[in-house]
C-alpha cells in the first residue's frame, strides 16, 4: 500500500490540509508528515483511523508484488529532475560559512583559568541527501525542500543556533542542550531557518560523498552518493534497488 498516495487522495477528496487531517483524526501532525515523506509507515489500524476521519475506507486489492514500485520507477524514469536552485543556493551559502565554535573542554579550561574562552574556526561537515542528492545526480526526483545530511557535532549545533533553526514538528529547543535522540526526533520534519526550509538528517559519519558540478554552475556541490542514499533511506532504496534490477534484466533503463 502506498501510504503517501492514500493520504494525498484523502486530502484531495476532503480539501483538508495536513494540519486539519491531524486534528480530525487525533493523530499528531508530525507523524502524518513523516508518513507522507516516507520516513515512517503507520500501522494498518492507525491508517484506517485517519482515513475513517474523512468518512472513507480502504479496500484491499491483490496486485502484482512490484506493481506500485514499478509504477514509481516508471514515473522516475519518465520525469526530469527538478531542483529549486534559489533555495539550494541560499542554503549552500549558509552551510559553507566559517563558524566560531566553543568546545566544552575550552569552556571549562577558561572557567578554571578565569579568562575569555577561545573559539575554534570550523565548518559543518555535510552533503546533499535524499531526493536532492538523486536529482542532482540526474534521476527524475523532485527536490522542493533541500535535503541535507550532516555530522552531528558542535559545529552543526552552532550552525543551527546561528541560523535560528526552528523545528516544525515540535516546540523550540536549545540546540546545545538537546541529546542526540532528541535531535533526531526534532528533525523528523523540515526545519525553518534564516536561509529557508531544509530537511536535515544527522549522522555520526558521512557516507561516500561526490563532488558534482551541474551544468551552468560554477561551484562543485557535495552530494551523498546514490549507494549511500539507498542504504540509509528505505523509501528511496526500494526505487534504486528496482532500477538496478531492471538494468540487470536488460531493460532499457538509463
Amino acid at each position: 500500500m502506498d501510504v503517501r498516495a492514500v493520504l494525498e487522495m484523502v486530502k484531495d477528496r476532503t480539501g483538508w490540509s495536513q494540519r486539519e487531517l491531524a486534528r480530525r483524526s487525533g493523530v499528531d501532525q508530525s507523524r502524518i508528515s513523516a508518513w507522507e515523506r516516507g520516513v515512517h509507515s503507520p500501522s494498518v489500524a492507525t491508517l484506517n483511523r485517519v482515513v475513517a476521519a474523512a468518512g472513507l475506507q480502504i479496500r484491499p486489492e491483490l496486485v502484482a508484488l512490484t506493481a506500485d514500485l514499478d509504477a514509481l520507477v516508471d514515473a522516475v524514469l519518465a520525469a526530469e529532475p527538478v531542483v529549486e536552485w534559489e533555495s539550494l543556493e541560499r542554503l549552500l551559502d549558509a552551510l559553507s560559512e566559517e563558524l566560531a565554535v566553543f568546545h566544552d573542554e575550552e569552556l571549562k579550561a577558561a572557567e578554571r583559568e578565569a579568562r575569555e574562552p577561545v573559539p575554534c574556526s570550523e565548518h559543518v561537515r555535510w552533503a546533499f541527501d535524499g531526493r536532492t542528492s538523486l536529482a542532482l545526480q540526474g534521476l527524475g526526483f523532485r527536490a522542493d525542500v533541500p535535503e541535507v545530511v550532516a555530522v552531528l557535532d558542535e559545529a552543526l549545533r552552532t550552525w543551527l543556533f546561528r541560523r535560528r533553526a526552528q523545528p516544525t514538528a515540535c516546540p523550540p529547543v536549545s540546540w546545545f542542550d538537546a541529546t542526540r535522540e532528541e535531535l533526531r526526533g526534532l528533525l523528523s520534519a523540515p526545519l525553518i531557518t534564516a536561509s529557508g526550509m531544509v530537511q536535515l538528517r544527522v549522522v555520526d559519519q558521512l557516507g561516500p560523498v561526490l563532488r558534482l558540478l551541474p551544468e551552468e554552475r560554477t561551484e562543485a556541490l557535495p552530494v551523498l552518493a546514490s549507494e549511500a542514499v539507498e542504504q540509509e533511506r528505505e523509501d528511496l532504496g526500494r526505487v534504486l534497488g528496482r532500477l538496478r534490477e531492471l538494468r540487470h534484466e536488460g531493460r532499457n533503463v538509463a
Side-chain angles (χ1 to χ4, degrees):
M1 181 189 303
D2 188 334
V3 174
R4 284 175 291 184
V6 170
L7 294 173
E8 282 301 317
M9 289 190 334
V10 169
K11 291 193 295 183
D12 287 345
R13 290 277 293 273
T14 60
W16 295 346
S17 65
Q18 187 185 92
R19 185 190 298 271
E20 181 66 10
L21 180 59
R23 186 184 72 80
R24 289 177 180 258
S25 65
V27 176
D28 287 345
Q29 185 180 352
S30 60
R31 293 175 66 190
I32 295 177
S33 174
W35 300 341
E36 288 191 336
R37 290 179 290 107
V39 176
H40 299 293
S41 295
S43 66
V44 173
T46 302
L47 183 59
N48 278 331
R49 187 171 113 204
V50 172
V51 172
L56 302 169
Q57 65 178 342
I58 300 172
R59 287 185 175 174
E61 179 184 0
L62 292 177
V63 296
L65 185 61
T66 60
D68 289 342
L69 181 56
D70 283 345
L72 183 54
V73 169
D74 288 342
V76 169
L77 292 174
E80 291 292 327
V82 178
V83 178
E84 295 293 336
W85 282 109
E86 183 178 351
S87 60
L88 216 61
E89 286 179 336
R90 288 200 307 270
L91 186 62
L92 180 62
D93 289 341
L95 286 166
S96 302
E97 70 179 341
E98 189 173 73
L99 301 166
V101 178
F102 292 91
H103 290 281
D104 286 342
E105 297 80 2
E106 170 60 17
L107 293 173
K108 291 175 182 176
E111 185 177 11
R112 286 195 308 270
E113 299 164 13
R115 60 172 174 81
E116 289 294 320
V118 179
C120 296
S121 294
E122 297 183 13
H123 292 84
V124 175
R125 291 175 287 169
W126 68 281
F128 286 117
D129 187 29
R131 289 175 176 80
T132 304
S133 168
L134 298 178
L136 289 170
Q137 293 177 69
L139 288 173
F141 286 91
R142 185 176 186 90
D144 294 319
V145 176
E147 296 184 51
V148 167
V149 57
V151 174
L152 179 53
D153 56 14
E154 290 304 312
L156 180 61
R157 291 177 186 269
T158 301
W159 185 86
L160 289 166
F161 172 76
R162 287 194 56 178
R163 288 285 129 192
R164 302 191 296 278
Q166 297 292 336
T168 56
C170 308
V173 297
S174 166
W175 295 113
F176 294 106
D177 295 337
T179 66
R180 287 177 175 267
E181 286 308 310
E182 287 172 338
L183 278 174
R184 288 190 169 91
L186 292 166
L187 299 174
S188 62
L191 286 173
I192 302 172
T193 79
S195 305
M197 297 283 286
V198 59
Q199 179 68 61
L200 180 63
R201 181 169 64 88
V202 293
V203 294
D204 295 325
Q205 184 176 355
L206 288 178
V209 174
L210 308 174
R211 301 290 299 189
L212 297 184
L213 184 62
E215 285 187 31
E216 301 181 1
R217 314 311 298 177
T218 58
E219 185 178 358
L221 306 177
V223 173
L224 199 67
S226 58
E227 59 266 26
V229 175
E230 181 178 353
Q231 186 175 31
E232 297 294 334
R233 289 282 300 273
E234 182 181 353
D235 57 330
L236 300 175
R238 288 195 296 269
V239 176
L240 295 174
R242 185 59 177 157
L243 281 169
R244 190 171 55 253
E245 289 175 9
L246 293 175
R247 290 193 186 99
H248 289 331
E249 292 171 8
R251 308 276 188 89
N252 185 23
V253 178

